[in-house]
Amino acid sequence: MLALVILGLLRDGRRSHGYDLSKTYWKLSGVKVASGSFYRQVGWAVRDGLITATSRDAGDDPRRIPY
């Protein structure tokens, strides 16, 4: 179900990385999800072709992958 939440958070087409997505989810729902669980769901969504990673802008933190 968390994969559907991730899709919902990305529905506006704005690029966002995993940490930003989890922070937005927490703000909207009041529920904090363990980062491992959240990133695992992001990975599955990428693997299943539901979302894709995009290129980083110059100067962006290399640890953060935008989707």
Side-chain angles (χ1 to χ4, degrees):
M1 180 167 127
L2 196 50
L4 296 175
V5 170
I6 293 166
L7 290 175
L9 294 173
L10 291 168
R11 75 183 175 275
D12 64 1
R14 194 175 49 90
R15 294 183 329 155
S16 192
H17 51 78
Y19 178 71
D20 188 41
L21 291 168
S22 66
K23 222 171 47 170
T24 301
Y25 176 67
W26 180 30
K27 283 182 184 178
L28 293 173
S29 70
V31 176
K32 187 155 175 95
V33 177
S35 60
S37 297
F38 200 88
Y39 284 104
R40 187 172 25 260
Q41 290 293 316
V42 168
W44 288 341
V46 169
R47 181 199 67 201
D48 294 343
L50 300 173
I51 62 174
T52 58
T54 61
S55 60
R56 294 178 190 90
D57 292 333
D60 282 353
D61 186 337
R63 297 170 295 173
R64 295 188 172 167
I65 301 168
Y67 301 99

